[in-house]
Amino acid sequence: MKKTARILGLALALTAALSAPVSAATLLTGDGFSNRANADYWQTDRYEPEGFDYANGKLYLSVGREGATSNRPADMQGNYYALQGRRMAVNKTPGAVWTAAAKIKIDESWVEGNPGRRRAEFRVDVYGGNSDVMPGMAVVTNGSGSLAVQYANPAIKSGWSTTSRYYDTKDQEYLSLELEEGWHTLLVKANDGLVYYYLDNLQIASVEFSESALTPAWLALNAQNYGTDYEVCFDSCYLYNGGYSVYKASQESRERAEDRKAERYQQKRDNWRERHTVYKFDGSDREYTREEAKQAGLDPDHAVSSRLDREMPDSYWNY
């Protein structure tokens, strides 16, 4: 009884801090990470991370060499314990429809240079599940800075699917997912045994679990330990009873995204032209690339003629 009252008290205390728009949903439990005393509600999930720190209204979860395979106890050296973080017990949802969400920040340390492998996971553990696979989402990078999203999927052997696309519910087709730096919302929406996954306002996938009704027991935040030091910034981790409104991108934001895509492809075409343009100069029949001309002390802007040495591939236009 004490534990239930404690969790309910936390939910009530955090209600005032919630700023996200909600429709047909009621906040049950969660943490906005503005009150460090709330850290007491989080318990070790699998293996304790090196850091679980509240600062400036955010959570900073860090993993590294201290919790690497060789430094863990002999009975905890399996890959199961490489996932390190904490989880919070939640109030039981009165119905079969619920929504859970958490924010994650992807900064330049994830994409610039050679950041190494990283994986940040948000998961909802449910009561009485017949499988080790629980509803959840993760952002991953393969070490080169290429980003993708993973989602828990009991239909495949590994339990997690990886995607770099989303489903456009309006046009009913899959489109390429542009995962950029900044804050992103990982959202898990359940209706009986069917789970929908969203990144921000984009539907990534929908999967079916064997249980006819999934009832949340814990919210978990983790990072995968690959033996290197890195930090993940989380915010606004909440569970709602009912369906949280997932708003489609406004026309303005869609247009901005299209403009950014057009700019990237224009730059790509400009770079290709620069690499494949050859120049002729007065008094010589030789053709120079831009780099060769500069090395010879010639100015490409004063060439008597120029041409492309090959046709630009269609892939530079088909976006």
Side-chain angles (χ1 to χ4, degrees), residues 1-55:
M1 185 66 183
K2 279 187 177 180
K3 184 176 181 182
T4 302
R6 188 184 187 201
I7 296 170
L8 180 58
L10 175 62
L12 293 174
L14 291 170
T15 302
L18 183 65
S19 59
V22 179
S23 175
T26 304
L27 174 65
L28 293 176
T29 315
D31 196 347
F33 305 110
S34 57
N35 185 354
R36 297 185 184 187
N38 291 337
D40 293 339
Y41 294 98
W42 292 87
Q43 304 174 25
T44 300
D45 182 36
R46 301 193 185 185
Y47 196 85
E48 181 68 7
E50 287 190 17
F52 194 88
D53 305 312
Y54 288 52

XYZ file of all heavy atoms in Angstrom, residues 1-55:
415
model
N 0.828 -1.204 0.000
C 0.000 0.000 0.000
C 0.862 1.255 0.000
O 0.605 2.222 -0.695
C -0.926 -0.005 1.219
C -1.915 1.159 1.246
S -3.074 1.011 -0.132
C -4.027 2.489 0.085
N 1.969 1.219 0.772
C 2.857 2.365 0.824
C 3.450 2.655 -0.545
O 3.569 3.789 -0.967
C 3.975 2.134 1.834
C 3.585 2.408 3.279
C 4.808 2.303 4.165
C 4.451 2.646 5.607
N 5.624 2.545 6.481
N 3.859 1.579 -1.235
C 4.486 1.741 -2.541
C 3.515 2.362 -3.537
O 3.858 3.279 -4.291
C 4.982 0.392 -3.068
C 5.719 0.499 -4.383
C 6.250 -0.853 -4.794
C 7.004 -0.738 -6.104
N 7.506 -2.028 -6.567
N 2.255 1.896 -3.536
C 1.253 2.432 -4.446
C 1.021 3.912 -4.171
O 0.940 4.726 -5.092
C -0.075 1.661 -4.291
O 0.164 0.282 -4.546
C -1.118 2.197 -5.255
N 0.916 4.277 -2.919
C 0.687 5.677 -2.556
C 1.864 6.540 -2.987
O 1.705 7.676 -3.432
C 0.464 5.797 -1.042
N 3.066 5.975 -2.854
C 4.265 6.725 -3.213
C 4.297 7.016 -4.710
O 4.591 8.125 -5.143
C 5.503 5.918 -2.815
C 6.815 6.657 -2.963
C 7.961 5.714 -2.642
N 9.213 6.419 -2.603
C 10.394 5.832 -2.741
N 10.441 4.527 -2.933
N 11.510 6.523 -2.692
N 3.968 6.009 -5.516
C 3.959 6.185 -6.967
C 2.873 7.177 -7.374
O 3.093 8.060 -8.200
C 3.728 4.836 -7.669
C 4.902 3.896 -7.377
C 3.570 5.012 -9.167
C 4.657 2.474 -7.826
N 1.695 7.060 -6.762
C 0.606 7.972 -7.081
C 0.991 9.401 -6.723
O 0.721 10.344 -7.455
C -0.664 7.557 -6.330
C -1.910 8.432 -6.571
C -2.240 8.448 -8.054
C -3.072 7.931 -5.751
N 1.666 9.566 -5.581
C 2.107 10.893 -5.166
C 3.061 11.500 -6.171
O 3.000 12.693 -6.475
N 3.950 10.677 -6.713
C 4.890 11.155 -7.726
C 4.144 11.612 -8.970
O 4.430 12.667 -9.526
C 5.888 10.059 -8.090
C 6.855 10.385 -9.237
C 7.724 11.569 -8.872
C 7.714 9.180 -9.564
N 3.162 10.834 -9.395
C 2.399 11.194 -10.590
C 1.700 12.526 -10.403
O 1.700 13.385 -11.288
C 1.390 10.105 -10.917
N 1.090 12.729 -9.230
C 0.389 13.976 -8.963
C 1.345 15.157 -8.914
O 1.055 16.248 -9.397
C -0.386 13.861 -7.645
C -1.552 12.860 -7.653
C -2.140 12.737 -6.259
C -2.618 13.285 -8.653
N 2.518 14.925 -8.337
C 3.505 15.994 -8.232
C 4.039 16.407 -9.595
O 4.385 17.562 -9.813
C 4.667 15.546 -7.340
N 4.074 15.455 -10.518
C 4.640 15.750 -11.833
C 3.614 16.289 -12.813
O 3.975 16.818 -13.848
C 5.282 14.483 -12.409
C 6.545 14.012 -11.695
C 6.934 12.641 -12.207
C 7.670 14.989 -11.887
N 2.334 16.163 -12.492
C 1.292 16.601 -13.412
C 1.454 18.073 -13.775
O 1.307 18.475 -14.926
C -0.108 16.365 -12.807
O -0.257 14.990 -12.503
C -1.194 16.791 -13.775
N 1.784 18.883 -12.788
C 1.909 20.319 -13.024
C 3.059 20.642 -13.960
O 3.064 21.672 -14.636
C 2.115 21.045 -11.696
N 4.043 19.754 -14.018
C 5.221 20.014 -14.847
C 5.004 19.619 -16.300
O 5.800 19.972 -17.159
C 6.425 19.251 -14.296
N 3.950 18.910 -16.584
C 3.708 18.417 -17.944
C 3.257 19.565 -18.840
O 2.345 20.286 -18.525
C 2.634 17.335 -17.921
C 2.327 16.686 -19.266
C 3.532 15.918 -19.767
C 1.118 15.776 -19.140
N 3.924 19.705 -19.988
C 3.567 20.793 -20.884
C 3.117 20.311 -22.248
O 2.619 21.086 -23.045
C 4.765 21.736 -21.064
O 5.869 21.023 -21.585
N 3.312 19.025 -22.559
C 2.956 18.504 -23.881
C 1.443 18.401 -24.019
O 0.747 18.076 -23.060
C 3.583 17.127 -24.080
N 0.891 18.691 -25.210
C -0.557 18.600 -25.412
C -1.024 17.158 -25.376
O -0.419 16.286 -25.978
C -0.754 19.202 -26.812
C 0.549 18.991 -27.492
C 1.589 19.100 -26.425
N -2.091 16.903 -24.662
C -2.618 15.554 -24.538
C -4.104 15.571 -24.868
O -4.821 16.468 -24.473
C -2.413 15.016 -23.100
C -2.997 13.620 -22.983
C -0.947 15.020 -22.739
N -4.547 14.577 -25.608
C -5.954 14.473 -25.953
C -6.424 13.078 -25.611
O -5.811 12.098 -26.003
C -6.148 14.754 -27.445
O -7.487 14.550 -27.808
N -7.527 12.979 -24.868
C -8.104 11.696 -24.467
C -7.083 10.838 -23.740
O -7.066 9.628 -23.871
C -8.637 10.952 -25.692
N -6.213 11.465 -22.952
C -5.206 10.733 -22.195
C -5.001 11.408 -20.854
O -5.118 12.619 -20.731
C -3.899 10.674 -22.965
N -4.699 10.601 -19.835
C -4.478 11.105 -18.488
C -3.101 10.678 -18.012
O -2.747 9.500 -18.111
C -5.544 10.548 -17.521
O -6.839 10.872 -18.020
C -5.375 11.148 -16.135
N -2.331 11.621 -17.488
C -1.008 11.304 -16.977
C -1.112 10.395 -15.762
O -1.864 10.657 -14.831
C -0.274 12.594 -16.588
C 1.078 12.427 -15.896
C 2.078 11.779 -16.834
C 1.591 13.759 -15.400
N -0.362 9.298 -15.772
C -0.330 8.373 -14.639
C 0.958 8.492 -13.836
O 0.932 8.646 -12.625
C -0.497 6.930 -15.125
C -1.846 6.549 -15.718
C -1.815 5.119 -16.232
C -2.957 6.709 -14.676
N 2.079 8.393 -14.493
C 3.362 8.358 -13.813
C 4.433 8.906 -14.737
O 4.294 8.835 -15.951
C 3.761 6.909 -13.448
O 2.643 6.243 -12.884
C 4.907 6.864 -12.443
N 5.514 9.414 -14.171
C 6.631 9.829 -15.003
C 7.563 10.769 -14.283
O 7.437 11.017 -13.084
N 8.519 11.292 -15.020
C 9.528 12.159 -14.437
C 9.964 13.179 -15.484
O 10.308 12.816 -16.616
C 10.731 11.318 -13.991
C 11.651 12.059 -13.030
O 11.506 13.290 -12.896
O 12.511 11.405 -12.402
N 9.942 14.454 -15.090
C 10.438 15.522 -15.953
C 11.859 15.899 -15.641
O 12.429 16.787 -16.275
N 12.480 15.230 -14.639
C 13.883 15.372 -14.256
C 14.253 16.772 -13.774
O 15.419 17.164 -13.840
C 14.798 14.937 -15.412
C 14.501 13.548 -15.889
C 13.920 13.334 -17.130
C 14.762 12.455 -15.079
C 13.615 12.052 -17.563
C 14.459 11.161 -15.506
C 13.890 10.971 -16.748
N 13.264 17.512 -13.271
C 13.553 18.827 -12.701
C 13.765 18.750 -11.184
O 14.308 19.680 -10.587
C 12.412 19.804 -13.011
O 11.182 19.301 -12.516
N 13.331 17.645 -10.570
C 13.471 17.457 -9.127
C 14.386 16.267 -8.851
O 14.017 15.121 -9.109
C 12.092 17.228 -8.493
C 12.162 17.136 -6.975
O 13.246 17.133 -6.385
N 11.004 17.060 -6.332
N 15.568 16.514 -8.320
C 16.549 15.441 -8.115
C 16.072 14.401 -7.110
O 16.557 13.264 -7.114
C 17.876 16.036 -7.659
C 18.495 16.961 -8.689
C 19.861 17.444 -8.285
N 20.372 18.410 -9.262
C 21.591 18.898 -9.251
N 22.427 18.517 -8.292
N 21.980 19.759 -10.161
N 15.125 14.767 -6.260
C 14.608 13.799 -5.290
C 13.895 12.647 -5.993
O 13.789 11.544 -5.443
C 13.659 14.488 -4.312
N 13.441 12.871 -7.216
C 12.740 11.812 -7.944
C 13.664 10.664 -8.336
O 13.194 9.584 -8.708
C 12.089 12.380 -9.212
C 10.933 13.310 -8.890
O 10.345 13.230 -7.818
N 10.620 14.201 -9.817
N 14.966 10.874 -8.270
C 15.916 9.810 -8.617
C 15.737 8.593 -7.716
O 16.075 7.466 -8.100
C 17.347 10.326 -8.526
N 15.185 8.808 -6.524
C 14.961 7.696 -5.586
C 13.926 6.709 -6.112
O 13.856 5.571 -5.640
C 14.503 8.230 -4.220
C 15.596 9.011 -3.515
O 16.781 8.820 -3.858
O 15.262 9.816 -2.629
N 13.093 7.143 -7.052
C 12.068 6.254 -7.593
C 12.613 5.330 -8.685
O 11.930 4.407 -9.101
C 10.913 7.081 -8.175
C 10.141 7.854 -7.138
C 10.407 9.200 -6.916
C 9.148 7.246 -6.375
C 9.703 9.926 -5.967
C 8.441 7.955 -5.429
C 8.726 9.299 -5.226
O 8.027 10.007 -4.281
N 13.821 5.592 -9.146
C 14.420 4.801 -10.223
C 15.330 3.730 -9.635
O 16.185 4.021 -8.809
C 15.225 5.697 -11.163
C 14.381 6.654 -11.955
C 13.974 7.896 -11.577
C 13.854 6.440 -13.266
N 13.222 8.479 -12.564
C 13.126 7.610 -13.618
C 13.919 5.392 -14.180
C 12.478 7.748 -14.837
C 13.273 5.531 -15.397
C 12.556 6.699 -15.718
N 15.152 2.483 -10.098
C 15.943 1.353 -9.621
C 16.811 0.796 -10.748
O 16.460 0.912 -11.915
C 15.018 0.235 -9.114
C 14.041 0.681 -8.039
C 13.065 -0.423 -7.675
O 13.355 -1.609 -7.839
N 11.894 -0.044 -7.191
N 17.937 0.191 -10.368
C 18.843 -0.379 -11.365
C 18.109 -1.365 -12.269
O 17.376 -2.235 -11.801
C 20.017 -1.104 -10.683
O 20.726 -0.166 -9.879
C 20.961 -1.704 -11.719
N 18.301 -1.214 -13.571
C 17.727 -2.123 -14.566
C 18.867 -2.915 -15.199
O 19.674 -2.341 -15.932
C 16.968 -1.318 -15.623
C 16.308 -2.209 -16.655
O 15.836 -3.295 -16.283
O 16.277 -1.818 -17.840
N 18.955 -4.188 -14.880
C 20.015 -5.083 -15.359
C 21.363 -4.762 -14.711
O 21.913 -5.543 -13.960
C 20.127 -5.049 -16.887
C 18.830 -5.452 -17.584
C 19.057 -5.717 -19.050
N 17.796 -5.995 -19.738
C 17.679 -6.344 -20.985
N 18.781 -6.464 -21.739
N 16.509 -6.587 -21.532
N 21.937 -3.582 -15.030
C 23.235 -3.234 -14.466
C 23.285 -1.716 -14.279
O 22.816 -0.958 -15.131
C 24.364 -3.700 -15.393
C 25.722 -3.740 -14.719
C 26.121 -4.856 -13.996
C 26.590 -2.664 -14.816
C 27.370 -4.888 -13.380
C 27.830 -2.690 -14.206
C 28.216 -3.805 -13.491
O 29.446 -3.845 -12.864
N 23.866 -1.278 -13.160
C 23.887 0.140 -12.826
C 24.785 0.920 -13.787
O 25.937 0.555 -14.040
C 24.391 0.329 -11.399
C 24.441 1.781 -10.927
C 23.064 2.421 -10.762
O 22.034 1.705 -10.894
O 23.019 3.634 -10.515
N 24.283 2.021 -14.369
C 25.121 2.833 -15.246
C 26.161 3.604 -14.440
O 26.047 3.719 -13.211
C 24.112 3.781 -15.901
C 23.033 3.930 -14.864
C 22.928 2.579 -14.203
N 27.145 4.150 -15.099
C 28.163 4.931 -14.387
C 27.582 6.237 -13.868
O 27.995 6.737 -12.836
C 29.360 5.202 -15.303
C 30.204 3.964 -15.544
C 31.507 4.279 -16.254
O 31.916 5.462 -16.284
O 32.123 3.335 -16.776
N 26.634 6.800 -14.593
C 26.017 8.042 -14.154
C 24.530 8.064 -14.445
O 24.082 7.577 -15.485
N 23.753 8.602 -13.499
C 22.313 8.798 -13.666
C 22.021 10.122 -12.970
O 21.583 10.171 -11.824
C 21.533 7.642 -13.037
C 20.079 7.575 -13.433
C 19.679 6.887 -14.574
C 19.098 8.190 -12.668
C 18.341 6.815 -14.943
C 17.756 8.109 -13.015
C 17.376 7.424 -14.160
N 22.316 11.221 -13.675
C 22.411 12.532 -13.030
C 21.371 13.505 -13.544
O 21.170 13.645 -14.760
C 23.809 13.120 -13.257
C 24.918 12.182 -12.792
O 24.813 11.680 -11.655
O 25.868 11.942 -13.562
N 20.727 14.225 -12.613
C 19.777 15.269 -12.949
C 20.551 16.596 -13.021
O 21.304 16.931 -12.115
C 18.706 15.403 -11.868
C 17.698 14.279 -11.803
C 18.089 12.952 -11.725
C 16.333 14.558 -11.775
C 17.161 11.926 -11.637
C 15.394 13.537 -11.683
C 15.815 12.222 -11.623
O 14.892 11.212 -11.536
N 20.338 17.368 -14.110
C 20.960 18.681 -14.233
C 20.175 19.523 -15.221
O 19.849 19.065 -16.325
C 22.413 18.555 -14.694
